Amino acid sequence: MLVPSPFPLAVDGTVSEVLPQATWLLLLVVGGAALAAWLVAVAIGTVVRRFAGRSTAVADLSRRGRRPLRVLLVLVAVTVVLDSATGVGEWRDVVVRVLGLALIAVAAWLVAVAAFVVEDLALARYDVDVVDNRHARRVRTQVTLVRRLTVAVLALLAIAGMLLTFPAARAAGTSILASAGVLSVVAGLAAQTSLANVFAGLQLAFTDAIRVDDVVVVQEEWGRIEEITLTYVVVHVWDDRRLVLPSTYFTTTPFQNWTRTESAVLGSIEIDVDWTTPFDEMRTALDRMLDENNLWDERVKVLQVTDAVSSVIRVRVLVSAKDGPTLFDLRCQVREALVVWLQREHGASLPRVRTEGVGGFGVERVPAPALPGSTDAVTSPNAGLFTGSVEARERSRAFAGPSPEELAERSRNTAESRDERPAPQP
């Protein structure tokens, strides 16, 4: 009686030529080694979590590094078993090469996790949820940029390490290094804009020109710095739009930074009022408004008359707040309160346009005495260049010709002379 073979494609108790018995045994050993490595990784993680205690850094390292550590140990175990096996066919070399590439990638992953844990530990020491968080925002900006640089460098090193495992790539690398001067010039010219943005991003992060959460005004838009990368900066505008600007914009174009040295800022409110406004009472009302408003930081409160021309007087109010958004709300509230106070207490002080003296309103026309030799009375009280005397009227006639009155008088004289002529004799 024939007993079925436990291996696939097996006939009469013999292993097929596709997977010989040695191969099956090797696969079993590989599976056992992978399982053992996985269990070791799980045990290491359990021990680390147990002895970590209240250490935030160790707990974060255990949480982040659990998966890459397990994958790394499994790959190491499988690679060691396959590399020590002999006589299993040519497929072993291909698998070992692929496992070597995977080992390099997972090792870079694990190093990146360790770097992230160190960076998170540095960020945890600086809290940005405080009133004066300028230094904390500076550290956060720099650590964020260093994290991106770390990822980029580790990825580049991992790719280079993978390529160097191939003999052809090593030979090509030698040729590239020999011609690195020419290639660097060509690459610099081809990626001039990108490299400029990269260096500008480094300059912004480490020269403290802008920081994450800074309040800025760019392109006449008010917003906060939301993200700083190697090539661009994201500005969160007040109406929830995002301005994505290249890093070179902030190194070549002037912009306003309201939180460059401190978060507290000043703001102005301008109101046009009438000339009859009582400014002492207005200052008293302003003091009462600010004392009752919790947005004011009690640093600056000033009311000044900055202009007094035409029919209105311009009043400027200076107030201060702990940061830009708070200042904006404070300015709006103070402006509204002052307008309501003027409407309720001093309605006559609201701005108005006066018409006295415009178009003859309010000016009494006093006739001037008639000049000798003139039949017209001068109605303007001010004698000028072309009115007020016989010589002035002659100058006026030279510029504008005879007046309508003179033309009418000439017409009357002509008609009278025509009537006085004797009638022709028949």
Side-chain angles (χ1 to χ4, degrees):
M1 182 177 179
L2 296 177
V3 179
S5 174
F7 302 102
L9 302 179
V11 180
D12 296 334
T14 61
V15 183
S16 66
E17 296 181 355
V18 177
L19 290 177
Q21 185 175 2
T23 304
W24 282 107
L25 293 176
L26 179 60
L27 292 178
L28 290 176
V29 174
V30 168
L35 180 59
W38 182 271
L39 293 177
V40 170
V42 172
I44 292 175
T46 304
V47 172
V48 170
R49 286 194 301 272
R50 177 170 296 182
F51 289 95
R54 297 182 179 179
S55 177
T56 306
V58 177
D60 192 18
L61 180 62
S62 175
R63 179 180 58 84
R64 289 176 177 267
R66 182 186 307 122
R67 185 176 300 174
L69 179 63
R70 293 175 181 178
V71 176
L72 181 65
L73 292 180
V74 170
L75 289 177
V76 169
V78 173
T79 304
V80 169
V81 172
L82 289 178
D83 193 43
S84 60
T86 57
V88 293
E90 297 180 354
W91 60 270
R92 181 187 66 87
D93 296 335
V94 178
V95 174
V96 170
R97 176 61 60 83
V98 173
L99 291 176
L101 298 178
L103 275 173
I104 296 174
V106 175
W109 182 13
L110 192 59
V111 173
V113 166
F116 286 177
V117 170
V118 174
E119 292 165 358
D120 290 341
L121 185 62
L123 290 177
R125 298 177 57 186
Y126 299 94
D127 188 12
V128 296
D129 295 330
V130 294
V131 176
D132 190 5
N133 57 0
R134 182 173 61 91
H135 183 63
R137 291 187 287 107
R138 176 182 180 181
V139 173
R140 183 174 294 272
T141 300
Q142 295 176 352
V143 169
T144 303
L145 191 59
V146 168
R147 173 176 294 183
R148 291 190 173 92
L149 283 175
T150 302
V151 173
V153 171
L154 288 176
L156 183 62
L157 291 177
I159 294 174
M162 292 178 183
L163 293 177
L164 290 178
T165 59
F166 298 94
R170 288 197 296 268
T174 304
S175 303
I176 291 174
L177 289 176
S179 58
V182 178
L183 289 178
S184 62
V185 174
V186 175
L189 293 176
Q192 184 177 4
T193 303
S194 299
L195 291 177
N197 281 320
V198 170
F199 287 113
L202 293 174
Q203 178 181 349
L204 292 176
F206 291 97
T207 58
D208 205 23
I210 56 174
R211 297 169 296 267
V212 174
D213 209 34
D214 265 348
V215 178
V216 296
V217 178
V218 292
Q219 295 184 351
E220 299 182 357
E221 296 283 356
W222 180 91
R224 288 181 177 272
I225 300 295
E226 185 176 59
E227 185 180 5
I228 300 177
T229 67
L230 287 176
T231 56
Y232 63 89
V233 177
V234 179
V235 180
H236 185 185
V237 188
W238 64 273
D239 56 358
D240 282 341
R241 291 180 294 120
R242 264 71 175 179
L243 285 179
V244 181
L245 302 170
S247 299
T248 53
Y249 176 88
F250 292 91
T251 58
T252 58
T253 306
F255 64 94
Q256 298 182 32
N257 189 342
W258 289 9
T259 54
R260 176 65 177 80
T261 57
E262 60 179 354
S263 299
V265 287
L266 299 178
S268 63
I269 306 162
E270 291 188 344
I271 299 179
D272 291 339
V273 295
D274 191 69
W275 288 72
T276 59
T277 303
F279 297 110
D280 292 336
E281 297 182 18
M282 194 173 186
R283 289 188 178 92
T284 303
L286 175 65
D287 294 341
R288 185 179 62 257
M289 297 171 192
L290 293 178
D291 292 337
E292 297 174 354
N293 197 317
N294 56 3
L295 300 181
W296 181 53
D297 61 358
E298 301 181 1
R299 289 193 304 120
V300 177
K301 57 175 179 179
V302 178
L303 190 148
Q304 297 173 319
V305 176
T306 59
D307 203 355
V309 295
S310 185
S311 58
V312 295
I313 290 181
R314 177 155 298 177
V315 176
R316 184 181 68 176
V317 178
L318 290 180
V319 293
S320 59
K322 62 180 182 179
D323 53 31
T326 305
L327 176 66
F328 181 81
D329 294 337
L330 178 62
R331 291 169 58 197
C332 293
Q333 294 180 13
V334 171
R335 184 184 296 110
E336 180 180 352
L338 287 176
V339 171
V340 171
W341 178 80
L342 287 173
Q343 293 174 345
R344 184 177 62 248
E345 302 293 337
H346 296 278
S349 299
L350 295 175
R352 54 185 174 177
V353 179
R354 288 179 168 83
T355 58
E356 291 86 353
V358 179
F361 294 99
V363 177
E364 182 180 0
R365 299 176 61 87
V366 180
L371 295 175
S374 175
T375 59
D376 297 332
V378 182
T379 58
S380 175
N382 299 321
L385 182 63
F386 299 113
T387 58
S389 64
V390 177
E391 293 80 2
R393 292 177 63 85
E394 293 296 333
R395 286 193 295 268
S396 175
R397 187 181 297 108
F399 278 93
S403 62
E405 293 80 1
E406 292 178 343
L407 292 177
E409 184 178 358
R410 291 181 182 178
S411 299
R412 289 195 300 272
N413 294 336
T414 303
E416 291 177 357
S417 62
R418 185 182 302 113
D419 296 337
E420 292 177 355
R421 291 178 182 175
Q425 298 295 329

